[in-house]
Amino acid sequence: MADQSFLSWPFFEDRHRSYAQDLEAWCRKNADALHHETGDVDADCRALVRLLGEAGFLRAAVPADFGGLNSPVDVRTLCLTRQILGYHHGLADFAFAMQGLGTGAIGLFGSDAVKAAYLPKVARGEMIAGFALSEKEAGSDVAAMATSATKVDGGWIINGEKTWISNGSIADILTIFARSGEAPGARGLSAFVFPTATEGFSVTEKIDVIAPHPLATIRFDNCFVPDDHLLGEPGRGFMVAMATLDMLRSTVGAAALGFARRATDEALARATTRKLFGAPLSDLQLTQAALADMALGNDASALLIYRAAWAKDSGQPRITREAAMAKLYATDTAQVTIDKAVQLFGGEGVVSGKMVERLYREIRALRIYEGASEVQKVVIARATIAEAQEQAQ
């Protein structure tokens, strides 16, 4: 049973505790459906989106006015969802997360008409969303983006290529970013809602990664997007992207925490039942040290994650530093925690398909996407320096 004691912390309200208990119970009841795998990751992800939509849990990713659960979207609920789903199944967490990331900017910057057209379907699991920012030469360096958006009568023409796009091969709508040219660098980007049924859109490559997720390279060839699908103002796409990531970055840490808590529980079960030299493995002081590190890392990660989420939900306009700290610490610490679990399992820990082996593969990407660990350190440092300079004045 996953540790639920953190729910008594003052970051949470009774509605959060009730929601977490309902989701935990649902995951256990539907374990077979969550873990049903066909070998086709696209089909498996579609099935998980439908399953989560039918159960009502995708509503957490959408504002209440458009079929969602809370208005505005409650970041603590997002984090709880990702932590619990991550504990039970990595691809289920991914399926939920992309519905949130893919529509986060729509909820924040879209017109009411655009929100009404897409968000209720996302909340029901009838439409799959994605977030298309990265390019081959523009990952962490968003200012290097080459995909273009050219203004025409009634809308925009999009040309270019994106890669490493989660749900790129199965999404019905994408939040995309393109260079519209109002200014050089990051100040000349715009954001759009993009239906993938648009003529000229294609999937040029499906990308196989260490833990199966539907990643793809996608292409735009003279794709028309109407004016009302612009998110925010022209040339403000970088701000749209950062505001979206600012809201959702702490949820990546929550997913990592879910993985780490599952690894800790697997390691505890192993250490207390596995006999070594006539006594449980847990009697060894080195084993106890590893378990202590795991428990410490889990609680420290949770404190950073839910501090950031609480701050956002309490009305703090930007949580850039808090979210970066949460993502950096939780993902890096989860990597160490899962590695210790694998070590405690010995040879069985690297057998394909075993839970700790799956977790070992799942965690690695979280230290890269939505801002690599190194980028988070830059973000934290800059925010800390700026705060010090402000106080000095």
Side-chain angles (χ1 to χ4, degrees):
M1 178 69 176
D3 179 18
Q4 300 286 305
S5 61
F6 71 98
L7 289 171
S8 65
W9 294 352
F11 295 122
F12 302 105
E13 302 166 24
D14 286 343
R15 63 189 174 95
H16 297 112
R17 299 180 183 99
S18 177
Y19 177 89
Q21 290 164 2
D22 289 346
L23 178 55
E24 177 69 27
W26 181 84
C27 286
R28 293 188 178 280
K29 182 179 179 181
N30 292 276
D32 290 343
L34 286 174
H35 288 273
H36 177 70
E37 296 176 358
T38 66
D40 182 338
V41 68
D42 285 3
D44 290 344
C45 197
R46 287 192 186 99
L48 287 166
V49 169
R50 286 195 298 271
L51 193 67
L52 290 165
E54 290 168 359
F57 292 112
L58 293 180
R59 294 177 60 223
V62 171
D65 293 345
F66 299 93
L69 188 62
N70 301 291
S71 266
V73 170
D74 185 83
V75 183
R76 285 168 292 178
T77 303
L78 295 179
C79 287
L80 285 169
T81 307
R82 293 204 65 181
Q83 179 183 332
I84 294 167
L85 289 176
Y87 181 96
H88 288 278
H89 194 270
L91 191 59
D93 161 66
F94 174 91
F96 172 83
M98 288 314 303
Q99 294 296 85
L101 182 60
T103 60
I106 301 174
L108 291 171
F109 299 99
S111 66
D112 284 348
V114 165
K115 292 176 186 177
Y118 299 119
L119 296 185
K121 293 180 180 179
V122 169
R124 294 192 297 266
E126 298 170 1
M127 182 172 278
I128 295 176
F131 187 83
L133 181 66
S134 296
E135 300 179 6
K136 288 182 178 179
E137 302 300 328
S140 297
D141 182 10
V142 176
M145 187 178 297
T147 296
S148 65
T150 304
K151 187 71 181 77
V152 295
D153 186 31
W156 301 76
I157 298 294
I158 310 296
N159 280 288
E161 189 174 78
K162 301 282 186 181
T163 193
W164 306 113
I165 306 306
S166 296
N167 280 354
S169 56
I170 62 173
D172 300 297
I173 57 166
L174 294 166
T175 295
I176 66 168
F177 299 85
R179 180 162 301 286
S180 47
E182 289 77 10
R187 293 177 295 170
L189 307 177
S190 293
F192 305 88
V193 185
F194 183 86
T196 59
T198 301
E199 184 178 356
F201 174 81
S202 60
V203 177
T204 60
E205 179 189 16
K206 292 185 179 182
I207 304 171
D208 294 326
V209 289
I210 189 170
H213 290 160
L215 295 178
T217 299
I218 57 177
R219 185 168 182 81
F220 307 89
D221 289 308
N222 294 319
C223 295
F224 177 78
V225 178
D227 275 329
D228 66 355
H229 280 47
L230 175 71
L231 295 172
E233 300 174 5
R236 301 280 285 170
F238 182 77
M239 183 271 290
V240 171
M242 293 305 103
T244 305
L245 294 174
D246 196 46
M247 181 177 74
L248 294 167
R249 187 166 275 157
S250 55
T251 76
V252 183
L257 177 58
F259 296 161
R261 286 198 185 279
R262 182 58 181 267
T264 301
D265 285 353
E266 296 288 329
L268 281 166
R270 173 74 170 184
T272 53
T273 58
R274 171 73 168 175
K275 292 294 199 312
L276 193 66
F277 307 120
L281 183 59
S282 58
D283 279 4
L284 297 177
Q285 287 186 333
L286 285 175
T287 301
Q288 293 172 9
L291 294 171
D293 288 342
M294 292 179 186
L296 175 62
N298 290 344
D299 273 14
S301 295
L303 286 164
L304 285 168
I305 292 161
Y306 291 109
R307 185 272 299 259
W310 170 83
K312 185 65 176 177
D313 292 337
S314 298
Q316 187 169 319
R318 296 299 301 270
I319 57 164
T320 304
R321 191 178 85 140
E322 293 89 338
M325 285 181 169
K327 181 188 185 293
L328 172 64
Y329 187 86
T331 55
D332 282 2
T333 302
Q335 179 87 64
V336 174
T337 295
I338 294 167
D339 185 74
K340 289 180 185 294
V342 170
Q343 196 72 15
L344 286 172
F345 270 80
E348 191 175 339
V350 292
V351 173
S352 181
K354 292 289 185 179
M355 179 54 70
V356 292
E357 183 270 340
R358 292 174 66 114
L359 291 167
Y360 193 82
R361 289 185 287 109
E362 287 282 0
I363 187 57
R364 192 59 187 85
L366 273 66
R367 296 174 58 210
I368 298 172
Y369 73 67
E370 291 191 40
S373 293
E374 293 77 10
V375 173
Q376 303 311 317
K377 290 181 180 180
V378 172
V379 170
I380 294 165
R382 287 177 176 173
T384 302
I385 292 167
E387 183 178 331
Q389 291 174 336
E390 183 178 336
Q391 290 175 350
Q393 293 175 354

